[in-house]
Amino acid sequence: MANFLIADDHPLFREALIGALRTQFSELSIVESDSLESTIQQIENHDDLDLVLLDLHMPGSGDLYGIIRIREDYPELPVAVISGSDQLDIISKVMGFGAMGFISKSSSSVQIAQAINNILEGDTWLPPGIAHQIQALSSDDLDLANRVAQLTPQQYRVLYLLHEGLLNKQIAYELNVTEATIKAHITAIFRKLRINNRTQAVLLAEKLQLEPSVSSN
């Protein structure tokens, strides 16, 4: 019995992927999630998962925070990114940050099954013709990922809103917390990222290609 977690915020895609997987795997158990928060909860609730199929663009996740967070917290759990964002630099970072594979959402059910079987056997998977183009991450990228992995999901949301240029009181309103709480988060963010000001925070966020995250209170 294979046990998969499909983490994607689009119900129609989850439904289509489940249908495709059931045609390729005779014994299959699937759980679903639609945000980084619910993904982490499902991982906590199911200690028998064989693989997480992770979308990059879920609420609470942004481009790269989700893969960094999950690989930091659950290093033994294989993760394959399944995404429509197939830029080479994104694939390189996804693999460098610990994914076992990158599967395009345009792949056929047979290709997806082949990718998953490779990963379950302990191999990595990339779209055909991509492997030789993957670029190794720089030491700066790896150092940044290690620092970002120390952020909690709520601190990540604050970092994104700093990147958007919001004031403390505006961030507090967006996240439905007090301004004092936001100040405490910012202090922790600066310490964990080893930075001193908002300008540095914005520059680091841009390196991670952060995208809007949906707050959960």
Side-chain angles (χ1 to χ4, degrees):
M1 172 75 73
N3 299 290
F4 300 156
L5 167 58
I6 297 177
D8 193 291
D9 64 331
H10 292 93
L12 288 179
F13 178 76
R14 294 199 308 271
E15 182 179 341
L17 182 56
I18 290 170
L21 291 174
R22 292 200 185 282
T23 67
Q24 301 296 321
F25 294 88
S26 57
E27 297 186 12
L28 182 62
S29 174
I30 294 176
V31 293
E32 304 174 53
S33 61
D34 59 5
S35 67
L36 181 60
E37 181 181 14
S38 61
T39 297
I40 291 173
Q41 189 61 56
Q42 289 285 39
I43 294 172
E44 288 290 325
N45 291 342
H46 298 85
D47 59 5
D48 58 349
L49 290 173
D50 298 305
L51 179 65
V52 176
L53 293 164
L54 177 70
D55 181 42
L56 291 177
H57 302 291
M58 289 190 304
S61 181
D63 269 338
L64 297 170
Y65 178 72
I67 182 67
I68 292 172
R69 174 83 277 131
I70 293 171
R71 293 300 299 148
E72 173 71 13
D73 292 347
Y74 310 98
E76 302 303 318
L77 178 61
V79 178
V81 167
I82 182 162
S83 176
S85 302
D86 56 359
Q87 299 96 324
L88 185 60
D89 61 332
I90 294 293
I91 298 175
S92 295
K93 288 182 178 179
V94 161
M95 299 302 290
F97 292 155
M100 291 290 290
F102 185 95
I103 304 170
S104 171
K105 284 189 173 182
S106 62
S107 301
S108 68
S109 58
V110 173
Q111 290 173 321
I112 293 173
Q114 182 182 357
I116 290 173
N117 281 322
N118 275 42
I119 293 167
L120 294 179
E121 291 172 1
D123 297 325
T124 58
W125 170 270
L126 289 167
I130 291 292
H132 70 283
Q133 302 180 55
I134 294 298
Q135 304 164 0
L137 295 186
S138 68
S139 58
D140 288 343
D141 284 332
L142 292 173
D143 177 63
L144 177 58
N146 289 334
R147 284 185 277 163
V148 168
Q150 299 178 51
L151 299 180
T152 66
Q154 186 77 334
Q155 289 166 354
Y156 162 78
R157 287 189 282 267
V158 172
L159 175 62
Y160 171 75
L161 295 173
L162 286 175
H163 175 259
E164 287 294 280
L166 272 64
L167 301 174
N168 288 2
K169 63 181 180 180
Q170 294 171 313
I171 297 174
Y173 177 80
E174 287 288 330
L175 300 183
N176 194 28
V177 298
T178 66
E179 191 171 346
T181 298
I182 297 304
K183 289 179 179 178
H185 280 318
I186 292 174
T187 298
I189 290 167
F190 286 5
R191 183 184 73 252
K192 290 178 178 181
L193 297 182
R194 301 197 294 274
I195 58 178
N196 301 310
N197 55 58
R198 290 174 179 249
T199 299
Q200 291 174 322
V202 169
L203 292 174
L204 287 182
E206 288 175 351
K207 288 183 180 179
L208 282 169
Q209 299 178 318
L210 298 178
E211 291 195 356
S213 59
V214 175
S215 63
S216 59
N217 300 316

